[in-house]
Amino acid sequence: FVGAVYRLSPVDAVGLSFTSLHTEDMEVRTETQPFGTGRYFSYGDIAIGVSYARRLTSQFSFGATVRYVEESIDVLKTRAVMVDLGTYYWTGLGSTRFSVAVSNFGNNVSPEGTVDLPRGESVSSFQEYSPPTTFRIGFAFEPIEDEYNRLTASIQLNHPNDNSENLALGMEYGWNRLFFVRAGYKLNVDEEGFTAGAGVNAPLGFS
């Protein structure tokens, strides 16, 4: 992944991003040839995105990304154009803010290409499916904040279209804007239940 942002003015910016994931070649295996057919295949995908964000007021901002996505599995390719939309609102009640985002919104897609089956048949028509659209809404605030200490609490509801809803809770403590520790917990998931991390924000003197 690589991305870049350019500020057009103090209140708006544009961005470009590129994402790529590829595998090495893997041997094709079938029911009748479980040790390999002698043919190889690979998987790969790319995504190219153009983003724009603007702060309309001191409390409200929004952003959007239009992304071209291409996924390849052996001889099949799936192409799509998807959109991400997001808003950010600072309520003015202390440090409380919330954000709403929709990711991977787009039309149904289906693979293109022709697959030769072991029995000599060919398939070139495939069922359509919807992209993995996810709706998120999150809240955050600082119950403790002074010159040296800052405690941030957050909660986020995730609603994917291909899985169950889940809830994410998080806390982060920062000391003197230098040392940070954080922890989170997801509810209604089979994996990724508990997470934790720490970090240092150290000035280098020249930057």
Side-chain angles (χ1 to χ4, degrees):
F1 172 84
V2 62
V5 174
Y6 178 74
R7 289 191 176 275
L8 299 173
S9 74
V11 297
D12 62 346
V14 294
L16 291 174
S17 62
F18 176 79
T19 307
S20 178
L21 174 67
H22 290 272
T23 68
E24 297 180 352
D25 288 344
M26 296 174 279
E27 194 167 8
V28 175
R29 305 173 190 272
T30 67
E31 294 179 357
T32 57
Q33 295 175 286
F35 298 104
T37 64
R39 197 171 71 83
Y40 289 81
F41 78 101
S42 64
Y43 167 87
D45 61 26
I46 61 170
I48 302 171
V50 178
S51 303
Y52 175 76
R54 183 176 181 86
R55 189 172 71 237
L56 293 178
T57 70
S58 59
Q59 293 179 271
F60 180 76
S61 305
F62 79 94
T65 296
V66 178
R67 188 169 53 255
Y68 170 78
V69 177
E70 182 177 293
E71 181 181 74
S72 302
I73 303 177
D74 196 10
V75 296
L76 298 180
K77 283 186 180 291
T78 304
R79 301 178 177 90
V81 175
M82 292 185 284
V83 177
D84 297 345
L85 301 171
T87 61
Y88 177 88
Y89 183 68
W90 193 285
T91 65
L93 301 174
S95 61
T96 305
R97 64 268 191 196
F98 74 89
S99 184
V100 177
V102 179
S103 303
N104 301 324
F105 179 78
N107 294 329
N108 288 352
V109 296
S110 64
E112 301 174 355
T114 301
V115 175
D116 295 323
L117 301 179
R119 292 173 294 180
E121 302 173 354
S122 297
V123 178
S124 59
S125 179
F126 302 92
Q127 182 178 355
E128 289 188 343
Y129 61 93
S130 60
T133 305
T134 303
F135 173 82
R136 300 179 178 91
I137 180 169
F139 296 84
F141 73 104
E142 278 71 34
I144 299 173
E145 186 172 16
D146 57 34
E147 184 179 358
Y148 292 101
N149 303 285
R150 177 174 176 170
L151 181 66
T152 301
S154 66
I155 181 171
Q156 178 174 295
L157 173 67
N158 304 304
H159 179 75
N161 68 343
D162 58 356
N163 211 326
S164 301
E165 289 183 341
N166 61 81
L167 191 67
L169 308 173
M171 298 282 285
E172 179 187 74
Y173 170 74
W175 180 80
N176 201 27
R177 301 185 182 273
L178 183 63
F179 298 104
F180 300 86
V181 292
R182 58 173 56 175
Y185 189 76
K186 271 188 179 181
L187 302 172
N188 198 34
V189 294
D190 294 329
E191 297 182 5
E192 300 180 346
F194 177 77
T195 58
V200 178
N201 180 31
L204 299 178
F206 60 88
S207 178

